[in-house]
């Protein structure tokens, strides 16, 4: 029972003490005068009676009523019902008022309440003062208070004959029952009828359940005022602890709105500031930092404007304003939308029917009160859905003396799948929820509607989700219960209370409200109190029960765990893998491990892992061997790495007991537990995790304490983790204990409390140990602080400050004194761990009621525990260091080239995926080859990674990725996660211009110093200080340790005449202590490109050089120059000039005179232009001394020289550098006004003009039509007759160059020889608009130039890109093709976008475009001078492309080599500078001008696949090796530099058998003998066809050189290494696998597809080779076979000798086939024709083979392609020949040559070295022979014959009788012919 009202107060207007115009409230009377003991009088009632301030009023206002709420210090709410009426003011009050009327008016203007702030009164002297009757109660019966106060006012106003004292006395003594009417015995007890003694009657119904709030209509009104969305916002804001402010002009509305909002929050209780009506004087409360719900009169809206973090709800305007800085998290979906739709159904039932054509008759809308309950029911359902299963996450920490309960928030969120949900997270962290747990967590208490709902109705709510009508029905049912709770007995609700008459407040009341008799009221109160004392105390009758828990959450949320499909299969994999580990089947486990690690991303798999491991612990299998331990730890780490710091799925919690169980023995007495290997996870450093774990364990133990012994035994056997369904939960046990508690004796109670306390204490000690296990690192010398909560922290953040031995002691002492322990150094691990554990112990022990003595004891223990553990770990760390690292695979040694040496042995690294999808098992669907685990090696030539994929499912595949050190373009340090252990490690990213990328993470065993050393060495090798430090140079020298120098005599005086500058440089560069001098024999053309033996120095004899100024043309060179000249003649250019008929080196002057061009030796000493070759083609009419002057007009002195002449139109192609400022441009500008006395400055220009004129006049267009053609080379584009090469040496070098240039001026002779074949010039040439010479120049240089009026030459300005643009574009291309990190959006789009950004293809397009233009001009008979930049980059690209497109010769293997040697090497493309070969070039970076040219050739190759003799692989090969520095060919910047270093003319001499090639051409030549890898089988050229490729970007393809890679063996361009990995020996085959089948799986990006599946022709050649071997025939060279087949095919194809030339593949395809192309699969690497096609391999002994190799000369690169027809071979075949005395019979290849009249013999058919000759002139007779000893057994006797010469008798044996007869006949006929 409780009092209805505690106090009655009368408050009136009184003057302000400080005399301001504002009045203040004064309490006139209060009853009872003394405070109740249980309820003191609340302070500040005066303020709340008039919240807007006490003010006088000029007129009588009607009485007002509202209920204010005050909250006392114990957070008890007091309801103050205030009824205010106005009375005429007393004179004293008026005085106060009039004095300061003005002030008040000002205030009124500022926004006070207008109606309450009076103007000057109408009737002077009449003002009205407010007076308030206040009832203070702890019960919220607003209607009863309104009626009671109204009754008192009515009695006063109407003057009823009732004593006010009696009424007030009765009111104060009225006792009503507490809530719980239904629990009382009769209706009378639940319903109290009261009468205040004035003929009134009121019925008070107490609610059934005390806990359910009373809302009357407030919720419905709130929704009407604000609407659904706004109320939901306010609801979420209040729950997530934001500040909410209501505004309204009505006080009653404010208190209703606040009441309504609180009712919605049920079952949570709002525990922050709650003031439904805030008085004006207290407005500063609004700036409090804590959350609140406050109502303020709308008059004060202005004061609320500047509140930045307050959500303002304007009830009158229906708006809710949320400030920008406030974020209200919404309800989690789908609850938000479901709640919204149910609310709209309740508020607007017609909404569903609005669209119906025939709407049913409208049902009666619910009454406001009923609607109010329906709305609350919706929110009650919402809470039941939000908090379902919350009781399963409660931890009972203590049961006696009072329950202590903790909520496991992380588990709740994890099981609900709402970890990410902001709303629920904030709600659970809030104060309201903490109150909810402590109030509702209690296991034994009375229950209410919410408990029933959350326990029993959840399943129904889930089922109803998609059925709105069923939801509505449920809502209505709940609403009924809520309504019944508020109005248990609606039938008896009858009130009878008098009310004042209409407008009674306007009537003049005879007297003011009287002063009441205190004594009388007090007497009534005392009387009632005395009566109560006699009565028995009213005990609140509680029906307490065990609170139902409801279904566990896991069962509820099955549906949301379907994130991982086929999870059953995954769990099976996890179980299998674990059982393999424990059964010791390590290989099986290893195969499954990657799948397990992938599966462990899923929650179910992680849980499964912990359960499986737990079973093994129970079976006492916790001691593991090293490999098992390693597997278990890896799986644990994988589990933990996805745990958040809160461990919401309980994975870390389940693993915690396991990491302290699994261990391995390191040595006797030293055991390493798993926890030392799983510390790197954020969860271990999270205090919340440890608290939840601790409380969970405490609950388990306390539960065990109270279970009966039988159950207890049983429980221990089942094990802690599995609480079975039928077992009683901890909450059930606690509920039972709480029920029994009052019945226990005092001693028993004490004993239970003590037991519980010691249980908690022992757990605290246990946890202090556990925490030290997981927080102290294995190596405590690495002073690593605790990881921050945010992340793992950097392992090396605190470096190596050692923990001293004394430290532990000092820490312990400081803790004993319990003072200053924070001073322990922050960097030491032990101190940090001790502080962390102490904070934890303090918190949990205080919360769970551990005694202070025990707590002190714990503080003393903790440092000792930590110190002991550190000591244990030291031994473990020491021993674990000694363990062989078992999990690391064996380092695979890479295969090295001959002469390649390891600089740094393997550093263990992980090779990580780099953004190309294929390697990581991407788009191609291949296996995940990357990441791979292995080592990186640094050799003198390459950076090589070899390793195995970390994913064992891929199998034992070796992954190799390498690139030449010289191609490194960028190196950057990165920090990456290692793929296996996910640790952050240092890494390196190396990018190479051969489109390889090594993205490596160093293994933890690689120290930072090793990594640094690797970087330094790499840098040193990449940028040697001098070119001689490159691999191509060091190759020979390092492998010849200490050979004695060879001494040779000087054999000729001219050898001392080394030119001075060259000798100086030679001495510097030779680099040894001696300089040998030896007669220099220039090698014959056949021997060019063969390196000298390793022990010879390269040297050259050069003439004594005169000063450059004295260079004059001479009719004969000095004898000392002849050597130089003869070696220059050997250069490629010279050969080509000869072929093109551009000039000869001959002593017959008459012949040379008539040629338009001549070869000038003017630059033989590289004096005019260092970057030009020694011999240049210049017009016949220009003298050498003029060239010196011409050269000054051009950049780098690169004056125009002829490099090619068209065989058909005789137009010439010239090249030069760009012009200096005063060059041609000035000349053209000034050419119309020539002045006779030209200054010296113009003389250069004049020379230049003459020079160009000479070029023009040398052209056939200006030739004399009747002249005879005396040019030897013009008869055809190819020099015919004797092989592909004319002989330069035939003219004899002894005579030197007897060239008399004469003194003709440049422009004198306008006529030249006619066209080659004597025909008149092509009519196209005579068109007047064609200029004779087009000068292609840079637009920027040629601005403002006037065209030449005579139309002899014309300028073609074009825009070209510079080298730096090529460099920038290439960088972007590299990034596009090898991104370095996975693209943000996978798929081809991002690649294509970055490819476009690079503009690489646009540059290719421009080059092709310009080249095709030049080709057109040349083809039409105009000559072209390409004069761009310095003449060595773009000029070279354009000139080379033009020749390639115009001249079919350059599309052969030999011709292309010649083109590159001539245009790129001789004409001084700066390979070293552009490739940044040395330290000096480091800053300029890699600029791939040559690569760009090769790309252009590749584009043409694609469009004309039948025009090129070489395969696309050849281009890739050159692209790779021009940058690799493996060969000397592409080193240095010009011929001059190469001569300085002695590279150009390498000596002839004995060659070693296996010596490394120094020239790329020689390497190609050697390789071509063995395999047709560089040969294009589709080669079927049209005669003299000019190619005109399409150059639009849409026609260009990305070169696969940029994108393809072969991880099986690295780049395939070092042929010796690209033969594939050797098969593993039989004994290494795992598990005795079955023999391999012939089928192969070819993986994208791993295997070389062409090698796995060579093209058809390679396959046929191999087949032939095999058959030859079977038949015992000596093998033939592949090229011979090929040519024979081709020749046969050709004859078949044209019986009449005419028709299109056909190849093996295409018999007769129309002409356009060339541009469309017939594609054969490219077979680079592939044709594994390392057949014994090389003559070296089939010779007898190795000694003889090396001798042969030394003797043999390969006539040209093309020698192996020369077919038998090109020699004079009348008859040939195999014969056995008897050796000299005592020598055996041998099969030899004999050739009968009728022309030379000899019988030659060779070792075998493809041998080029003749082994012996029988001169037929010496033959006397041919006769049948007889078999002798050792003759072949199977041969018929008649197959023997003898050839008798004057010297000896030769014995022969043919294979059979007919062939013997053939031979005899052939030789006889030959003899008779003679």
């Amino acid at each position: 029972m409780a009092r209805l009202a505690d106090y009655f107060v009368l408050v009136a207007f009184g003057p302000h003490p400080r005399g301001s115009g504002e009045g203040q409230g004064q309490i006139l009377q209060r009853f009872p005068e003394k405070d109740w003991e249980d309820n003191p009088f609340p302070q500040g009632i005066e303020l709340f009676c008039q919240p807007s301030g006490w003010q006088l009023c000029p007129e009588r206002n009607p009485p007002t009523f509202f209920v204010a709420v005050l909250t006392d210090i114990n957070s008890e709410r007091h309801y103050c019902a205030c009824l205010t009426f106005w009375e005429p003011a007393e004179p004293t009050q008026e005085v106060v008022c009039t004095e300061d009327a003005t002030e008040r008016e000002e205030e009124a203007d500022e926004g006070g309440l207008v109606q309450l702030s009076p103007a000057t009164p109408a009737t002077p002297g009449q003002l009205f003062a407010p007076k308030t009757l206040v009832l203070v109660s702890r019960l919220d019966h607003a209607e009863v208070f309104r009626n009671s106060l109204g009754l008192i006012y009515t009695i006063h106003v109407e003057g009823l004959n009732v004593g006010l004292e009696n009424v007030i006395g009765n009111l104060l003594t009225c006792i009503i029952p507490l809530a719980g009417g239904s629990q009382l015995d009769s209706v009378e007890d639940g319903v109290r009828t009261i009468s205040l003694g004035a003929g009134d009657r009121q019925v008070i119904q107490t609610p059934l359940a005390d806990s359910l709030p009373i809302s009357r209509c407030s919720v419905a009104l709130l929704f009407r005022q604000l609407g659904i969305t706004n109320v939901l916002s306010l609801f979420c804001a209040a729950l997530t602890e934001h500040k909410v402010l209501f505004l309204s002009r009505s006080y009653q509305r404010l208190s209703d709105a606040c009441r309504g909002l609180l009712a919605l929050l049920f079952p949570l209780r709002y525990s922050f500031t709650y003031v439904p009506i805030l008085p004006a004087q207290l407005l500063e409360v609004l700036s409090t930092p804590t959350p609140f719900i406050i109502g303020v009169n709308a008059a004060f809206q202005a004061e609320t404007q500047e509140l930045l973090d307050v959500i303002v709800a304007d009830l009158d305007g229906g708006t809710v304003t949320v400030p920008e800085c406030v974020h209200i998290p919404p309800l989690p979906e789908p609850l938000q939308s479901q709640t919204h739709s149910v609310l709209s159904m309740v508020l607007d039932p017609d909404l569903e029917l609005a669209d119906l054509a025939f709407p049913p008759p409208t049902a009666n809308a619910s009454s406001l009160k009923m609607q109010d309950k329906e709305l609350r029911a919706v929110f009650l359902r919402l809470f039941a859905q939000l908090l379902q299963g919350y009781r399963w996450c409660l931890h009972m920490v203590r049961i006696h003396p009072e329950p202590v309960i903790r909520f496991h928030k992380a588990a709740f969120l994890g099981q609900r799948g709402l970890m990410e949900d902001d709303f629920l997270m904030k709600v659970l962290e809030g104060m309201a929820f903490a109150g909810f747990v402590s109030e509702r967590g209690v296991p034994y208490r009375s229950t209410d509607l919410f408990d029933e709902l959350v326990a029993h109705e959840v399943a129904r709510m889930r089922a109803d989700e998609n059925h709105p009508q069923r939801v509505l029905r449920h809502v209505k049912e709940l609403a009924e219960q809520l309504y019944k709770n508020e109005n248990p007995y609606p039938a008896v609700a009858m009130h009878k209370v008098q009310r004042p008459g209409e407008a009674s407040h306007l009537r003049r009341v005879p007297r003011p409200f009287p002063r009441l008799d205190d004594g009388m009221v007090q007497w009534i109160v005392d009387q009632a109190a005395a009566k109560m004392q006699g009565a028995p105390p009213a005990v609140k009758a509680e029906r307490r029960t065990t609170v139902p828990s409801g279904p566990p959450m896991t069962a509820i949320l099955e549906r949301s765990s379907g994130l991982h499909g086929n999870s059953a299969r995954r769990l099976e994999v996890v179980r299998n893998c674990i059982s393999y580990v424990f059964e010791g089947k390590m290989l099986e486990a290893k195969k499954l491990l990657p799948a397990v690690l992938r599966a462990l991303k899923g929650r179910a798999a992680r849980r499964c892992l912990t359960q499986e491991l737990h079973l093994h612990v129970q079976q006492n299998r916790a001691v593991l061997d090293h490999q098992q331990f390693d597997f278990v730890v890896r799986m644990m780490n994988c589990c933990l790495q996805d745990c958040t710091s809160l461990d919401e799925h309980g994975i870390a919690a389940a693993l915690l007991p396991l990491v302290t169980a699994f261990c391995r023995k390191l040595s006797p007495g030293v055991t390493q537990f798993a926890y030392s290997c799983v510390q790197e996870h954020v969860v271990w450093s999270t205090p919340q995790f440890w608290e939840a774990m601790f409380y969970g364990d405490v609950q388990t133990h306390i539960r065990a304490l109270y279970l009966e012994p039988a159950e207890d035994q049983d429980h221990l056997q089942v094990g802690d983790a599995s609480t079975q369904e039928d077992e009683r939960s901890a909450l059930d046990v606690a509920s039972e204990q709480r029920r029994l508690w009052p019945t226990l004796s005092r001693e028993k109670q004490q004993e239970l409390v003590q037991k519980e306390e010691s249980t908690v204490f022992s757990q605290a000690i246990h946890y202090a140990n556990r925490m030290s296990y997981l927080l102290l690192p294995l190596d405590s010398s690495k002073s690593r602080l605790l990881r921050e909560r945010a992340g793992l922290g950097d392992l090396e953040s605190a470096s190596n400050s050692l923990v001293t031995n004394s430290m532990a002691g000092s820490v312990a002492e400081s803790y004993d004194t319990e003072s200053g322990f924070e001073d322990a150094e922050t960097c030491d691990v032990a101190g940090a761990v001790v502080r962390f554990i102490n904070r934890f112990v303090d918190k949990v022990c205080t919360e769970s009621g551990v005694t202070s003595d025990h707590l002190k004891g714990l503080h003393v223990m903790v440092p000792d525990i930590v110190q002991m553990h550190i000591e244990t770990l030291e031994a473990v760390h020491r021993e674990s260091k000694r363990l062989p690292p078992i999990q690391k695979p064996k380092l695979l040694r890479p295969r090295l080239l001959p002469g390649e040496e390891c600089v740094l042995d393997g550093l263990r690294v992980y090779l990580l995926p780099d953004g190309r999808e294929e390697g990581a098992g991407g788009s191609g669907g291949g296996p995940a080859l990357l990441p791979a685990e292995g080592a990186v090696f640094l050799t003198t030539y390459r950076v090589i990674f070899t390793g195995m994929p970390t994913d064992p499912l891929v199998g034992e595949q070796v992954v190799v990725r390498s690139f030449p050190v010289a191609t490194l373009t960028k190196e950057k340090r990165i920090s990456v996660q290692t793929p296996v252990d996910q640790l952050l490690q240092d890494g390196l990213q190396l990018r190479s211009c051969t489109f390889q990328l090594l993205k490596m993470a160093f293994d933890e065993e690689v120290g930072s110093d090793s990594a640094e050393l690797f970087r330094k060495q790499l840098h040193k090798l990449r940028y040697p200080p001098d070119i001689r430090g490159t691999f191509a140079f060091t190759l020979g020298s390092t492998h010849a340790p200490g050979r004695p120098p060879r001494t040779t005599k000087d054999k000729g005086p001219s050898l001392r005449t080394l030119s001075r500058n060259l000798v100086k440089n030679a001495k510097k560069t030779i680099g040894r202590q001696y300089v040998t001098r030896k007669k220099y024999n220039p090698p014959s053309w056949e021997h060019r490109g063969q390196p000298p033996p390793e022990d010879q120095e390269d040297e050259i004899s050069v003439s004594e050089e005169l000063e450059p100024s004295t260079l004059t043309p001479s009719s004969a060179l000095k004898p000392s120059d002849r050597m130089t000249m003869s070696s220059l003649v050997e250069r490629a250019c010279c050969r080509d000039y000869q072929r093109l008929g551009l000039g000869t080196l001959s002593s017959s002057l008459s012949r040379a005179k008539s040629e338009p061009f001549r070869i000038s030796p003017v630059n033989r000493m590289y004096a005019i232009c260092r970057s030009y070759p020694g011999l240049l083609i210049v017009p016949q009419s220009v003298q050498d001394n003029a060239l010196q002057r011409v050269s000054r007009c051009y950049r780098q002195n690169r004056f125009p020289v002829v490099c090619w002449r068209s065989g058909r139109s005789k137009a010439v192609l010239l090249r030069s550098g760009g012009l200096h400022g005063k060059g041609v441009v000035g000349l053209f500008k000034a050419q119309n006004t020539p002045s006779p006395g030209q200054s010296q400055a113009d003389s250069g220009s004049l020379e230049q003009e003459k020079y160009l004129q000479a070029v023009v006049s040398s052209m056939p267009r200006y030739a004399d039509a009747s002249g005879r053609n005396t040019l030897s080379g013009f008869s055809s584009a190819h020099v015919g007759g004797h092989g592909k090469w004319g002989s330069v040496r035939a003219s004899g070098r002894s005579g030197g160059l007897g060239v008399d240039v004469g003194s003709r001026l440049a422009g004198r002779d306008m006529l030249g020889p006619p066209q080659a074949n004597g025909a008149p010039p092509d009519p196209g040439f005579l068109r007047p608009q064609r200029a004779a010479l087009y000068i292609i120049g840079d637009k920027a240089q040629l601005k403002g130039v006037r065209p030449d009026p005579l139309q002899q030459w014309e300028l073609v300005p074009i825009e070209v890109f510079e080298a730096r643009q090529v460099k920038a574009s290439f960088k972007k291309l590299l990034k596009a093709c090898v991104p370095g990190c996975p693209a943000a959006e996978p798929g081809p789009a991002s690649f294509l976008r970055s490819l476009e950004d690079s503009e690489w293809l646009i540059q290719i397009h421009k080059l092709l475009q310009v080249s095709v233009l030049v080709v057109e001009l040349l083809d039409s008979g105009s000559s072209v001078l390409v004069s761009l930049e310095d003449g060595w980059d773009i000029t070279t690209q354009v000139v080379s492309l033009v020749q390639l497109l115009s001249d079919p010769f350059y599309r052969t293997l030999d011709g292309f080599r010649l083109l590159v040697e001539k245009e790129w090497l001789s004409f001084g493309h700066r390979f070293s500078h552009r490739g940044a070969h040395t330290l000096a070039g480091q800053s300029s970076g890699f600029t791939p001008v040559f690569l760009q040219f090769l790309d252009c050739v590749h584009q043409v190759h694609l469009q004309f696949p039948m025009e090129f003799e070489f395969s696309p692989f050849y281009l890739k090969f050159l692209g790779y090796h021009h940058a690799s520095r493996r060969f000397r060919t592409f080193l240095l910047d010009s011929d001059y530099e190469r001569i300085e270093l002695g590279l150009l003319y390498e000596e002839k001499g004995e060659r070693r058998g296996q010596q490394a090639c120094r020239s790329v051409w020689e390497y190609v030549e050697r390789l071509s003998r063995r395999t047709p890898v560089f040969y294009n089988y589709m080669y079927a050229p049209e005669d003299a066809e000019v190619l005109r490729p399409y150059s639009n970007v849409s026609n260009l393809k990305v070169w696969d050189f940029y994108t393809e890679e072969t991880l099986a063996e690295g780049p395939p361009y070092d042929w010796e290494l690209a033969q594939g990995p050797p098969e593993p020996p039989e004994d290494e085959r795992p598990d005795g696998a079955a023999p391999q089948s012939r089928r192969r799986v070819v993986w994208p990006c791993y295997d070389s597809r062409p090698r796995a599946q060579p093209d058809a022709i390679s396959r046929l050649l191999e087949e032939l080779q095999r058959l030859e071997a079977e038949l015992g025939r000596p093998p033939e060279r592949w090229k011979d076979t090929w040519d024979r087949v081709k020749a046969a095919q050709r004859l078949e194809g044209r019986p009449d000798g005419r028709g299109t030339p056909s190849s093996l593949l295409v018999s007769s395809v129309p002409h356009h086939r060339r541009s469309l192309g017939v594609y054969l699969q490219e077979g680079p690497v592939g044709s594994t024709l390392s057949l014994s096609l090389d003559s070296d391999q089939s010779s007898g002994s190795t000694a003889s083979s090396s001798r042969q190799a030394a003797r043999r000369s390969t006539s040209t690169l093309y020698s192996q392609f020369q077919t038998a027809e090109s020699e004079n071979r009348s008859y040939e075949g195999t014969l056995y020949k008897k050796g000299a005395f005592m020598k055996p019979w041998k099969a030899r290849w004999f050739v009968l040559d009728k022309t030379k009249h000899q019988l030659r013999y060779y070792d075998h058919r493809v041998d080029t070295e003749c082994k012996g000759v029988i001169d037929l002139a010496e033959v006397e007779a041919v006769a049948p022979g007889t078999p002798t000893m050792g003759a072949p057994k199977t041969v018929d006797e008649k197959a023997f014959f003898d050839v008798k010469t004057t010297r000896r008798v030769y014995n022969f044996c043919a294979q059979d009788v007919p062939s013997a007869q053939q031979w005899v006949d052939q030789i006889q006929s030959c003899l008779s012919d003679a």
Side-chain angles (χ1 to χ4, degrees), residues 1034-1091:
T1034 53
L1035 173 60
S1037 57
T1038 50
H1039 278 281
R1043 277 184 316 235
R1046 265 189 352 192
T1047 51
T1048 52
K1049 287 182 184 169
D1050 293 346
K1051 290 195 187 159
S1054 66
L1055 293 166
R1056 295 215 178 81
T1057 61
L1058 287 158
S1059 113
R1060 285 184 205 105
N1061 55 344
L1062 293 188
V1063 162
K1064 282 181 206 147
N1065 288 320
K1067 278 182 182 161
K1068 277 185 220 153
T1069 54
I1070 281 169
R1072 298 200 187 157
Q1073 292 72 26
Y1074 56 91
V1075 178
T1076 60
R1077 305 196 175 169
K1078 175 175 177 298
K1079 178 159 184 188
Y1080 180 73
N1081 295 320
S1084 65
W1085 172 242
E1086 289 90 331
H1087 288 284
R1088 264 222 59 262
Q1090 297 173 0

Side-chain angles (χ1 to χ4, degrees), residues 892-1119:
L892 300 162
R893 314 275 329 160
R895 302 168 56 160
L896 300 183
L897 289 173
E900 182 180 9
E901 292 183 340
C902 241
V903 177
L904 272 186
D905 237 13
L907 295 180
R908 268 193 196 282
V909 292
Y910 294 97
L911 183 66
L912 306 175
D914 51 26
R916 287 181 283 189
E917 288 177 11
E918 293 85 0
S923 53
L929 295 162
L930 302 182
E933 183 178 4
V936 64
F937 296 82
L938 182 59
T939 72
T940 44
Y941 171 47
R942 291 175 299 160
V943 182
I944 313 163
F945 169 86
T946 57
M948 300 267 193
T950 50
D951 183 344
L953 283 185
V954 176
E956 306 285 313
Q957 303 294 339
V958 182
V959 171
V960 180
R961 190 179 270 176
S962 69
F963 60 80
V965 176
T967 63
L968 177 73
T969 56
K970 186 165 188 207
E971 166 250 3
K972 76 172 179 190
R973 296 181 194 182
I974 49 176
S975 186
V976 282
Q977 282 194 336
T978 54
V980 179
D981 307 321
Q982 300 292 334
L983 304 177
L984 270 182
Q985 283 293 354
D986 289 339
L988 267 187
Q989 182 170 302
L990 306 178
R991 195 183 278 283
S992 135
C993 63
T994 57
F995 294 82
Q996 297 297 332
L997 182 95
L998 288 177
K999 184 175 181 181
M1000 310 177 293
F1002 288 109
D1003 195 292
E1004 60 265 22
E1005 75 179 42
V1006 176
S1008 50
D1009 42 353
S1010 312
E1012 196 50 39
L1013 177 69
F1014 176 82
R1015 286 182 64 244
K1016 282 189 179 144
Q1017 287 286 4
L1018 179 63
H1019 196 267
K1020 207 156 115 191
L1021 285 169
R1022 169 64 181 94
Y1023 298 109
D1026 185 65
I1027 198 76
R1028 279 185 305 266
T1030 55
F1031 177 64
F1033 279 90
T1034 53
L1035 173 60
S1037 57
T1038 50
H1039 278 281
R1043 277 184 316 235
R1046 265 189 352 192
T1047 51
T1048 52
K1049 287 182 184 169
D1050 293 346
K1051 290 195 187 159
S1054 66
L1055 293 166
R1056 295 215 178 81
T1057 61
L1058 287 158
S1059 113
R1060 285 184 205 105
N1061 55 344
L1062 293 188
V1063 162
K1064 282 181 206 147
N1065 288 320
K1067 278 182 182 161
K1068 277 185 220 153
T1069 54
I1070 281 169
R1072 298 200 187 157
Q1073 292 72 26
Y1074 56 91
V1075 178
T1076 60
R1077 305 196 175 169
K1078 175 175 177 298
K1079 178 159 184 188
Y1080 180 73
N1081 295 320
S1084 65
W1085 172 242
E1086 289 90 331
H1087 288 284
R1088 264 222 59 262
Q1090 297 173 0
E1094 295 163 352
D1095 51 358
Q1096 280 184 16
E1097 286 307 326
D1098 307 314
E1099 18 168 293
I1100 180 167
S1101 145
V1102 191
S1103 69
E1104 196 68 63
E1105 178 59 283
L1106 304 168
E1107 287 305 306
S1109 57
T1110 62
L1111 272 175
T1112 50
S1114 57
S1115 54
L1117 292 170
K1118 294 196 192 77

